[in-house]
Amino acid sequence: MTVTSTASTAPPSGTEPNGSRTRRPRISKRSVPYLLLAPALFFELLVHIVPMLGGLWMSFLRLNQFFLREWMSAPFTGLQNYRFALDFDGAAGVELFQSFAVTIAFAVITVGVSWVMGLAAALFLQRSFPGRTLLRGLFLVPYALPIYTSVMIWKFMLDRSDGMVNATLSDLGLGGERFWLLGNNAFLSLTVTAIWRLWPFAFLALMAGLQSIPTDIYDAAAVDGAGLWQQIRTITVPMLQPVSQVLILVLFLWTFNDFNVPYLLFNQAVPSSANLISIHIYQNSFLTWNFGLGSAMSTLLLLFLLVITAGYLMLTSRRSRNA
């Protein structure tokens, strides 16, 4: 006797009851990069592009303390804020030029010294010796510390009455009770603090670049009689050129736009010798409540940095092609 099963067989997964297969939407290979970039582009637009366009629009308005409550009705002034900022016969133009000169000196010194210190430390730790790993970790401590912590450490050290710097100078018989956060000494204090924070980043980048240089080249140069300085000048520096080009540009942009270090070091009473352009724009915007003028100065700073960046990239790319 044969038993016949009457149980219905369920359709396989992914098919309709009538037997037809469902089609799943397929993502083309060309659209994958755009989908992966979409979140980053969205937040870039939200965090940077939209505020930048808003600041550009504000630079054409007379947006001062009289129009803050109804800023949408602030009168349109065209290029008046730019003319006022670039009027070097007036007080605003003179102050902007002085702040720009201070920022140029600060950026050049900070970047140059940070690069030299980073290269020296990377070369020193290139050879294997006991304690090298520990020294590498210690050299990275200033960069790993939060910016508020590192700047406040220097602020306490540079204090006139209780600071360690004056106490050490007094013990060495070099005089004490110096005002490191006032007058012309403020620029030196600002530069030293910025270098202390940035040189570990240069050390980290250059140390990574040194790993790509074959040791056979140094051995061959030593056989030919090349000394340490000749090896650095003819082998290390030229072969680190791609890393150094990017590193110098990044450090320059960081230092030129630096706001945290001078603000934390001097609060709002920044001496004229350490009045970076970022602080100058902040003072014109949030202390005098002239956001139109501050936005115009910010736009001029952006244009300057774009020109410097484009010129630097063109120069370095041309040198790379000619090499």
Side-chain angles (χ1 to χ4, degrees):
M1 179 177 177
T2 304
V3 179
T4 304
S5 175
T6 59
S8 61
T9 305
S13 176
T15 60
E16 297 291 340
N18 58 5
S20 62
R21 272 186 189 275
T22 59
R23 293 183 178 180
R24 296 181 180 179
R26 294 182 178 181
I27 301 176
S28 63
K29 294 182 178 180
R30 293 183 179 181
S31 61
V32 170
Y34 300 100
L35 292 176
L36 295 176
L37 288 174
L41 293 176
F42 172 76
F43 286 105
E44 177 70 18
L45 181 68
L46 183 65
V47 176
H48 289 120
I49 305 301
V50 172
M52 184 179 66
L53 294 177
L56 179 63
W57 171 248
M58 289 167 56
S59 66
F60 298 108
L61 304 177
R62 188 183 301 166
L63 189 57
N64 50 30
Q65 65 269 28
F66 302 107
F67 297 97
L68 286 181
R69 179 170 296 181
E70 299 179 358
W71 64 274
M72 293 294 293
S73 61
F76 182 81
T77 59
L79 299 176
Q80 183 176 351
N81 289 323
Y82 293 92
R83 297 192 192 98
F84 187 73
L86 296 176
D87 183 14
F88 299 116
D89 294 329
V94 171
E95 292 176 357
L96 179 63
F97 179 78
Q98 292 176 349
S99 176
F100 179 78
V102 170
T103 309
I104 287 286
F106 167 73
V108 170
I109 295 174
T110 302
V111 173
V113 176
S114 298
W115 185 86
V116 172
M117 291 179 61
L119 179 61
L123 290 173
F124 174 69
L125 295 179
Q126 183 69 6
R127 301 288 182 177
S128 180
F129 60 89
R132 184 179 67 166
T133 304
L134 177 61
L135 285 178
R136 283 180 175 178
L138 291 177
F139 285 173
L140 294 176
V141 167
Y143 185 71
L145 284 175
I147 183 172
Y148 182 84
T149 303
S150 59
V151 176
M152 293 308 296
I153 288 174
W154 275 99
K155 186 173 183 179
F156 290 138
M157 290 172 59
L158 295 170
D159 186 73
R160 174 180 175 269
S161 56
D162 301 323
M164 188 182 72
V165 175
N166 278 339
T168 304
L169 293 176
S170 180
D171 294 339
L172 296 175
L174 300 177
E177 300 295 322
R178 297 185 184 182
F179 292 93
W180 294 105
L181 301 178
L182 297 174
N184 294 329
N185 290 332
F187 180 81
L188 177 61
S189 302
L190 175 64
T191 305
V192 170
T193 304
I195 292 173
W196 186 79
R197 288 199 64 256
L198 284 182
W199 84 265
F201 179 78
F203 157 69
L204 187 63
L206 294 172
M207 183 177 62
L210 286 175
Q211 307 301 319
S212 63
I213 302 178
T215 57
D216 297 341
I217 301 179
Y218 292 103
D219 296 336
V223 171
D224 292 338
L228 177 61
W229 172 247
Q230 290 178 325
Q231 293 180 17
I232 294 174
R233 183 171 56 87
T234 60
I235 298 176
T236 305
V237 174
M239 297 195 73
L240 283 177
Q241 184 177 356
V243 177
S244 297
Q245 289 175 357
V246 178
L247 175 64
I248 290 174
L249 179 60
V250 170
L251 290 179
F252 180 81
L253 294 177
W254 282 357
T255 54
F256 211 93
N257 286 305
D258 195 1
F259 174 82
N260 295 321
V261 174
Y263 185 80
L264 293 174
L265 201 60
F266 307 107
N267 294 329
Q268 295 182 358
V270 181
S272 59
S273 62
N275 189 22
L276 301 184
I277 195 167
S278 57
I279 296 294
H280 186 71
I281 294 174
Y282 164 79
Q283 291 173 344
N284 280 274
S285 299
F286 294 94
L287 298 185
T288 61
W289 302 103
N290 195 340
F291 289 97
L293 179 60
S295 299
M297 292 180 179
S298 299
T299 305
L300 292 173
L301 174 61
L302 174 63
L303 293 176
F304 170 78
L305 292 178
L306 287 176
V307 171
I308 292 295
T309 302
Y312 178 82
L313 293 177
M314 290 176 59
L315 180 62
T316 53
S317 61
R318 184 178 303 175
R319 286 184 177 180
S320 299
R321 288 194 301 266
N322 296 333

